[in-house]
């Protein structure tokens, strides 16, 4: 079933259903500061599926010059893994090279961020992003999890085939066999016994794996249950 898009609160929040394995694209408009980059994060979510060829064709150098920022970093095209997403917008939407985007977050890029690399360069390193969002994962469906040595569960929010070109939703349960997990880290897939809801108000803790898939941590009570346990 294709996603449906519902806007409310005078265009400040979007709720999108049917999101599992649905393609999205993301651009970070970066401004260099004394201790790294600050980013405006634009995402195609709420504007329809991210068109692969048009997104790939976006010229980040031309875009940076046009919008007066230091750099534009293109996050490789990804696929959401929740079933329903609600997220607050933090500014006006924009269209880049004919592709519409919503402004979904602002963040300070983590130490060691290199705009010449993808997120796998920061594999298994926790960072934070400012956003208000609700992720809903439906009971009975699989969720793909990391467990860090400090016994925090990390729930996959997106996967990408940017590095592992054959990675699909169907192959995710065996992803643990392909990851170079650091000592003490574990991966597993479980079927949810009940709906999992992850509610973020302010800061989300996120971590990528070494194939650039992204997970959100169940930290500070953001989840209504821990599916690892």
């Amino acid at each position: 079933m294709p996603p449906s898009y519902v806007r409310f609160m005078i265009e400040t929040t979007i709720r999108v259903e049917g999101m599992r394995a649905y393609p999205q694209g993301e651009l970070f408009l970066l401004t260099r500061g004394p201790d790294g980059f600050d980013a405006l994060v634009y995402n195609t979510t709420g504007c329809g599926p991210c068109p692969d060829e048009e997104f790939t064709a976006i010229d980040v150098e031309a875009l940076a010059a046009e919008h007066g920022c230091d750099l534009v970093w293109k996050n490789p095209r990804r696929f959401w893994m929740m079933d329903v997403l609600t997220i607050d917008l933090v500014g006006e939407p924009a269209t880049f090279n004919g592709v519409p985007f919503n402004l979904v977050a602002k963040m300070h890029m983590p130490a060691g961020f290199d705009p010449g690399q993808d997120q796998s360069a920061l594999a298994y390193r926790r960072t934070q992003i400012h956003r208000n969002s609700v992720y809903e994962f439906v009971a009975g469906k699989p969720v793909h999890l990391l467990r860090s040595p400090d016994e925090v569960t990390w729930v996959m929010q997106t996967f990408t085939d940017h590095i592992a070109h054959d990675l699909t939703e169907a192959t995710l349960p065996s992803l643990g066999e392909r990851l170079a997990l650091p000592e003490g880290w574990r991966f597993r897939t479980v079927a949810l016994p009940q709906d999992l809801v992850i509610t973020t108000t302010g800061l989300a803790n996120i971590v990528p794996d070494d194939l650039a898939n992204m997970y959100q941590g169940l930290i500070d009570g953001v989840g209504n249950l821990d599916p690892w346990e």
Side-chain angles (χ1 to χ4, degrees), residues 60-102:
V60 294
E61 293 184 1
L63 197 60
E66 179 183 352
H67 290 273
C69 57
D70 292 309
L71 291 167
V72 174
W73 181 67
K74 187 188 299 182
N75 197 354
R77 189 165 172 263
R78 300 177 161 275
F79 302 86
W80 287 116
M81 282 308 296
M82 71 290 295
D83 297 287
V84 182
L85 167 64
T86 302
I87 189 167
D88 285 358
L89 306 183
V90 299
E92 294 297 318
T95 298
F96 304 126
N97 292 58
V99 180
F101 289 80
N102 279 312

Side-chain angles (χ1 to χ4, degrees), residues 86-126:
T86 302
I87 189 167
D88 285 358
L89 306 183
V90 299
E92 294 297 318
T95 298
F96 304 126
N97 292 58
V99 180
F101 289 80
N102 279 312
L103 181 55
V104 298
K106 299 177 181 180
M107 67 179 295
H108 185 72
M109 301 304 285
F113 168 72
D114 180 351
Q117 297 181 308
D118 60 44
Q119 286 174 314
S120 64
L122 297 172
Y124 309 106
R125 292 172 56 184
R126 180 187 306 188

Side-chain angles (χ1 to χ4, degrees), residues 19 35 48 64 73 90 93 103 118 126 146 168 170 175 177 184 187 189 215 228:
M19 289 299 286
D35 59 346
W73 181 67
V90 299
L103 181 55
D118 60 44
R126 180 187 306 188
L146 288 175
T168 65
L175 179 62
E177 301 170 8
F187 175 92
T189 295
Y215 306 74
W228 188 279

Side-chain angles (χ1 to χ4, degrees), residues 196-200 216-227:
L196 168 63
V197 181
I198 302 175
T199 303
T200 303
Q216 178 164 346
L218 298 182
I219 297 171
D220 297 330
V222 299
N224 66 318
L225 75 150
D226 186 340

